[in-house]
Amino acid sequence: MGKKIFFMIFLFIFLKPFFVFGKEAGESAKITYEIILPEETKKVFYQKATIKNILEKYRSPLTSEVDTFINVCYQYQIDCYLIPAIAGVESTFGHYFIPSSFNPFGWGGGKIFFKNFQEAIEKVAYGLKSNYIDRGLITIEAIGKVYAESPFWTQKVLFFIDQFKKEEENIRLYFGKNTVKL
């Protein structure tokens, strides 16, 4: 019982600065929950939550690499949903790849081995940036013509990117101006 109380106090003290609980003038019993963070931090928060939710939905072994996905997308200025979407197409988010290769991206025909998922994500992000984007292949369609043999690869990647975008929209709605009238 004491641990539960301590945990609740801990959550209240440390999470309270991130939320605003208040009433607006003239509207009694209206409670507003809004995350108080700079806009760029909110953007990263939404992207991280989005990637985490989608990877959890697919029970992906890549779920623990959400921070790596976010870090490389900002480091290489790549759409944050592109690399996880490629993993969705190439290996069903890390479920099907050559054992011990840690290559859920089909990189090098899936025959390139990495020491772990973090290295795979970092190398693939670097490779996409330097071998595709920096050479003028800036659309998913253009990347797909070189990256994959399948003529349907682009459609599949776009399907997963769309799932990520819809999930982000839902998260933004949830944490946006969410009011409850009593």
Side-chain angles (χ1 to χ4, degrees), residues 44-54 66 167 171 175:
V44 172
F45 170 82
Y46 294 134
Q47 290 168 332
K48 284 177 76 167
T50 298
I51 294 170
K52 182 178 182 289
N53 287 355
I54 295 294
V66 171
E167 179 64 19
I171 291 169
F175 284 105

Side-chain angles (χ1 to χ4, degrees), residues 26-86:
E27 294 187 12
S28 64
K30 180 178 178 183
I31 302 172
T32 302
Y33 302 93
E34 185 177 347
I35 296 176
I36 306 295
L37 295 170
E39 200 54 44
E40 189 61 27
T41 305
K42 282 184 186 180
K43 181 179 177 184
V44 172
F45 170 82
Y46 294 134
Q47 290 168 332
K48 284 177 76 167
T50 298
I51 294 170
K52 182 178 182 289
N53 287 355
I54 295 294
L55 294 178
E56 285 178 347
K57 173 183 172 184
Y58 285 95
R59 295 186 177 98
S60 172
L62 298 169
T63 303
S64 63
E65 297 300 330
V66 171
D67 287 332
T68 306
F69 282 118
I70 294 295
N71 291 338
V72 299
C73 85
Y74 281 95
Q75 179 179 355
Y76 296 113
Q77 298 174 338
I78 299 171
D79 179 333
C80 286
Y81 303 138
L82 176 60
I83 296 173
I86 291 172

Side-chain angles (χ1 to χ4, degrees), residues 11-180:
L11 286 177
F12 178 76
I13 290 171
F14 287 102
L15 293 180
K16 186 178 178 189
F18 294 106
F19 296 94
V20 172
F21 302 99
K23 290 194 295 187
E24 293 180 16
E27 294 187 12
S28 64
K30 180 178 178 183
I31 302 172
T32 302
Y33 302 93
E34 185 177 347
I35 296 176
I36 306 295
L37 295 170
E39 200 54 44
E40 189 61 27
T41 305
K42 282 184 186 180
K43 181 179 177 184
V44 172
F45 170 82
Y46 294 134
Q47 290 168 332
K48 284 177 76 167
T50 298
I51 294 170
K52 182 178 182 289
N53 287 355
I54 295 294
L55 294 178
E56 285 178 347
K57 173 183 172 184
Y58 285 95
R59 295 186 177 98
S60 172
L62 298 169
T63 303
S64 63
E65 297 300 330
V66 171
D67 287 332
T68 306
F69 282 118
I70 294 295
N71 291 338
V72 299
C73 85
Y74 281 95
Q75 179 179 355
Y76 296 113
Q77 298 174 338
I78 299 171
D79 179 333
C80 286
Y81 303 138
L82 176 60
I83 296 173
I86 291 172
V89 172
E90 296 291 340
S91 66
T92 315
F93 295 106
H95 286 288
Y96 305 103
F97 56 91
I98 296 172
S100 302
S101 72
F102 295 99
N103 185 351
F105 305 103
W107 197 247
K111 297 175 185 156
I112 294 176
F113 281 61
F114 300 100
K115 64 181 178 183
N116 53 41
F117 288 131
Q118 180 178 353
E119 181 187 45
I121 294 165
E122 290 169 352
K123 298 281 185 181
V124 170
Y126 173 79
L128 280 172
K129 177 69 170 160
S130 62
N131 298 327
Y132 294 81
I133 296 167
D134 288 348
R135 294 183 178 179
L137 303 173
I138 58 172
T139 66
I140 295 169
E141 292 81 4
I143 292 170
K145 289 178 183 176
V146 177
Y147 192 99
E149 295 175 11
S150 170
F152 303 108
W153 185 88
T154 298
Q155 291 170 311
K156 293 175 183 178
V157 170
L158 289 171
F159 168 80
F160 285 122
I161 287 175
D162 189 50
Q163 279 195 355
F164 283 109
K165 287 181 178 179
K166 286 178 182 175
E167 179 64 19
E168 181 179 336
E169 184 179 331
N170 289 338
I171 291 169
R172 285 181 179 274
L173 287 171
Y174 179 79
F175 284 105
K177 201 111 169 121
N178 190 6
T179 60
V180 178

